[in-house]
Amino acid sequence: MTKFSELGLNKGTLATLEGLGYENPTEIQEKAIPVLIDSDKDFVGLAQTGTGKTAAFLLPLEEKLDPTSKKIQTLILSPTRELANQIYGEFEKLFPRTKIKAEVVCGGVSYDRQIGAIKRKKPQVIIGTPGRVIDLMNQGLLRFDETKFLILDEADEMLNMGFLEDVQLVLENIKNDRNIWMFSATMPREIKSLIKNEFSEPITVSSSTESSAKKSIEQR
Ligand code: AMP
């Protein structure tokens, strides 16, 4: 069985994982983490919720981001507030001691509070739903000119909910030498054409549909 220490993660991260009781990487983590750390290519991961996909894209970020820069380096788009908050929860668990900070940008929270938090915290990672992200982007309050990574989580769900145009609008505002990392449970036609039109030679990996993270928790 592959160990986390074989995937290219730094010692601090390995200690955190041990503390969390994550003994072995799940299938999607094992396949995605080394590729995301080593290559500068776009990425498509076919994986459902419960497979450990969130850590599969969060863990490589620490190896990629510059903690000394206070610009937004990563935007993670989620179809729902609930998922955005879950991603944030996982982020806080995985990065308790780093200088990399994240903030959630979603509807349902007052603008003042959200804008205040962004100004104060200067997060390198924004986790948000498309509507509110675009709102703040249009007001010039979120600037993506230094953003290197756009992560689309549950992309099929995002498109089902009618966010395709929003995703495209965000893409237009992120410079060309960015990478897109997409995670989706299914590959409908709209996702395939989004990949064809917006991604450059992506690496694709897939995880079996069974919830491998859940299984490894149950086994313990
Ligand atoms: P996700 O599919 O990202 O929603 O993750 C499902 C659950 O599995 C979350 O509660 C994670 O904290 C947990 N998890 C993720 N990776 C691992 C792992 N390698 N070992 C044990 N639990 C994990």
Side-chain angles (χ1 to χ4, degrees), residues 65-100:
L65 303 187
D66 173 6
T68 62
S69 160
K70 303 296 175 208
K71 297 278 167 64
I72 299 169
Q73 297 171 48
T74 299
L75 171 63
I76 303 173
L77 285 182
S78 139
T80 62
R81 272 183 233 172
E82 291 72 22
L83 181 65
N85 284 311
Q86 269 175 44
I87 299 170
Y88 182 74
E90 190 82 1
F91 182 96
E92 293 280 278
K93 270 183 6 191
L94 294 173
F95 303 116
R97 286 181 296 269
T98 62
K99 293 205 171 69
I100 296 177

Side-chain angles (χ1 to χ4, degrees), residues 129-141:
T129 48
R132 182 62 69 96
V133 166
I134 288 174
D135 238 4
L136 296 191
M137 182 178 87
N138 287 341
Q139 292 181 52
L141 295 162

Side-chain angles (χ1 to χ4, degrees), residues 166-186:
D166 286 352
V167 168
Q168 272 161 340
L169 188 64
V170 168
L171 274 165
E172 283 166 24
N173 280 272
I174 299 183
K175 65 181 170 32
N176 286 329
D177 63 342
R178 37 90 165 120
N179 281 129
I180 314 174
W181 299 351
M182 172 195 276
F183 285 78
S184 190
T186 60

Side-chain angles (χ1 to χ4, degrees), residues 54 57-67 69-78 84 87-92 95 98-106 114 117-119 121-129 133 142-144 146-152 181:
T54 315
F57 63 76
L58 289 179
L59 289 170
L61 278 183
E62 212 210 334
E63 315 296 327
K64 295 280 193 183
L65 303 187
D66 173 6
S69 160
K70 303 296 175 208
K71 297 278 167 64
I72 299 169
Q73 297 171 48
T74 299
L75 171 63
I76 303 173
L77 285 182
S78 139
I87 299 170
Y88 182 74
E90 190 82 1
F91 182 96
E92 293 280 278
F95 303 116
T98 62
K99 293 205 171 69
I100 296 177
K101 296 197 185 79
E103 189 55 44
V104 176
V105 170
C106 286
Q114 213 150 58
I118 294 166
K119 288 195 168 145
K121 210 171 178 185
K122 299 189 175 61
Q124 294 97 340
V125 179
I126 293 288
I127 305 166
T129 48
V133 166
L142 286 179
R143 300 178 60 93
F144 298 115
E146 301 283 328
T147 302
K148 299 184 188 96
F149 301 98
L150 172 65
I151 302 175
L152 304 175
W181 299 351

